[in-house]
Amino acid sequence: MTVCTRGIVETIVWERKGAQEVTVRVENELRRALAYTDLVGVLSVGHSVTLNTWAVELGLGTGGYDFVVSGPESALKIEAAGHIIKLRYTPMQIPVLSAEAQESDHHDELAAFVSLDGMPVVCAELHSQVPAIASAIKWETSGKARVGYVMTDGAALPIAFSNLVPLMQGAGILDFTVTSGQSFGGDYESINIYTALATACVVGKADVIIVCQGPGNAGTGTTLGFSGIDQGIALNAAGSLDATAIATARISFADLRERHYGLSHHTKTILERIVINSVIVPIPRLETHNQELIRRIVDNAELEERHQFVTVDSDIGFEAFVALDIPVKTMGRAISEDREFFMSA
C-alpha cells in the first residue's frame, strides 16, 4: 500500500484561512488534496508536493482528500506566533500564540480567572450538531448573545478542515473559535479544555460557549472507544469551573444501527459513566412513540436520578435553523432526513 507519493499542483480549487484544496497530478492520476498553510505554506500551481494518502487508501471519512505533507521551500514563509507548540514532537509541530502564554496580551487576565459563574456551556458529541446549537442560541436571544465555539482535539486537529465553521461565521451565528489541546487554527489558541473555556469567557467575551470535537468522529463499536467521549470530559470541565453544563443528546430515528437508534449509546455512556457532576439534558418534544422510547432508555439507565432532563418545544427554533440553509449532514444524512437529530441540538 502506497502511503506517501509526490506530484505537481495542477489547480487551486479553493482557499480559506488556514487551508487550500488543490488537485495534484501524480503520474497519470489527478488526486484531491488539502494543504494546511500554517504547516506547509501557501501553494501555487506548479509546486512539487508530497502527499500523505493513508486516509484515501483506507477509505476513511475525510471527503476523499489526501493531505500535503510538504511543498517547496519557497512556500514556507511562516513566522512563530508564540512559543507554545502544538502537534508536539511530530514532524509537523507548529508554534502558536496560546492565549494564556506569558507572551500573550491576555496572560494576566487569564492568570486571574476563577469561575465561569453560571455561564451556559453546551457540550456536544458530533461536529454536525454545532450549527444547530449556535443557531438556536442566536434565535433564542434575538441575535444578541455572543457565541464562542471551543474545538477539542478528539477528531480533526486543524479547524481549517471544517467546512461548517466559515459557514456559521458567514451566517452570523458564530462569533469566534478557540482551538484547545493539540487542535489549532482557531481565532484563539489554548493549551487545554479548561483554559479554552476561560479564554472563551474572558478573552472572547462569550455569553454562551459551545464545546465539541471537530469533524472526523472515530468509533469502534465498543462502549468507551469513541472520540466523542470528549463531550463527557468537557461537561466535567464546565461543571468544575462553575458553568451551567448542558449536554446535547444524540437522538436519531434515521440511524438504523441499534446502538444509535433513539438515544445513542454514546450519549447514554457519557451521562452514565463519564460525567461526574449533574448536567442539564434538553430533549425535544417528539412524536409520542418516539418520546416513549427515549423515556424507556433514560429510565432503564436511571439517568434521571443523576441529571436534569428537560423537554423542549424546539419546532420554531428548528425551523429558524433550517431557514439558514447551511448544508450540514450527519453520517451522510441531511437535515430533512434526520430531523430529530438536529432538533435535539
Side-chain angles (χ1 to χ4, degrees):
M1 183 179 291
T2 302
V3 297
C4 204
T5 189
R6 290 195 65 81
I8 303 296
V9 175
E10 189 157 298
T11 59
I12 308 294
V13 180
W14 54 253
E15 46 194 342
R16 59 177 178 238
K17 178 187 175 185
Q20 293 175 295
E21 179 184 337
V22 299
T23 59
V24 178
R25 175 70 62 180
V26 179
E27 296 178 348
N28 295 322
E29 181 183 14
L30 201 60
R31 301 182 69 101
R32 299 171 66 218
L34 277 183
Y36 296 117
T37 55
D38 290 338
L39 302 180
V40 300
V42 178
L43 300 179
S44 299
V45 172
H47 276 165
S48 175
V49 295
T50 300
L51 302 178
N52 180 319
T53 64
W54 266 121
V56 173
E57 295 291 344
L58 293 174
L60 302 180
T62 58
Y65 289 118
D66 296 323
F67 293 91
V68 177
V69 177
S70 65
E73 187 175 336
S74 60
L76 288 170
K77 297 179 180 178
I78 303 170
E79 295 185 7
H83 86 281
I84 298 299
I85 299 291
K86 294 201 173 186
L87 307 183
R88 288 190 284 277
Y89 308 108
T90 74
M92 305 302 288
Q93 62 183 5
I94 175 177
V96 301
L97 179 60
S98 194
E100 66 271 46
Q102 292 88 338
E103 67 270 26
S104 168
D105 292 340
H106 308 294
H107 171 76
D108 290 346
E109 56 186 336
L110 285 171
F113 172 82
V114 175
S115 170
L116 289 172
D117 195 24
M119 178 184 293
V121 175
V122 186
C123 303
E125 183 202 348
L126 298 179
H127 191 63
S128 53
Q129 294 171 311
V130 176
I133 298 168
S135 170
I137 296 166
K138 290 291 189 177
W139 175 81
E140 181 69 26
T141 63
S142 300
K144 296 176 182 177
R146 185 164 169 81
V147 180
Y149 166 45
V150 171
M151 192 178 95
T152 70
D153 57 9
L157 298 180
I159 199 169
F161 183 66
S162 171
N163 291 322
L164 292 177
V165 166
L167 289 173
M168 287 187 284
Q169 291 179 319
I173 60 173
L174 183 63
D175 295 292
F176 67 91
T177 60
V178 184
T179 36
S180 70
Q182 297 299 311
S183 68
F184 65 94
D187 296 314
Y188 305 104
E189 303 281 0
S190 66
I191 290 177
N192 58 52
I193 183 63
Y194 294 86
T195 55
L197 291 171
T199 298
C201 173
V202 173
V203 182
K205 308 297 183 186
D207 296 301
V208 184
I209 303 170
I210 303 170
V211 186
C212 188
Q213 63 180 338
N217 178 58
T220 63
T222 60
T223 302
L224 300 175
F226 60 100
S227 59
I229 212 158
D230 269 13
Q231 181 185 18
I233 297 169
L235 287 164
N236 288 336
S240 70
L241 295 179
D242 304 318
T244 299
I246 302 168
T248 302
R250 179 176 173 179
I251 292 175
S252 175
F253 300 96
D255 194 327
L256 300 181
R257 293 173 294 177
E258 184 178 354
R259 65 185 186 275
H260 291 306
Y261 188 82
L263 183 70
S264 169
H265 85 96
H266 285 183
T267 299
K268 178 175 172 290
T269 296
I270 286 165
L271 295 176
E272 189 175 31
R273 303 190 61 182
I274 307 302
V275 180
I276 297 171
N277 45 291
S278 179
V279 302
I280 297 171
V281 188
I283 302 292
R285 193 175 299 282
L286 303 167
E287 294 181 10
T288 301
H289 61 286
N290 289 336
Q291 200 89 37
E292 290 175 349
L293 173 60
I294 301 298
R295 170 58 58 187
R296 285 197 299 273
I297 296 171
V298 170
D299 287 347
N300 289 342
E302 299 180 344
L303 295 179
E304 208 158 23
E305 295 181 10
R306 299 183 53 199
H307 304 293
Q308 181 183 352
F309 284 77
V310 180
T311 302
V312 179
D313 291 315
S314 58
D315 296 73
I316 300 176
F318 173 75
E319 293 305 325
F321 167 58
V322 172
L324 291 174
D325 199 27
I326 293 176
V328 57
K329 292 186 176 183
T330 180
M331 305 299 164
R333 296 185 295 272
I335 298 172
S336 60
E337 299 171 303
D338 207 340
R339 178 184 173 90
E340 291 83 4
F341 174 86
F342 293 100
M343 283 183 67
S344 300

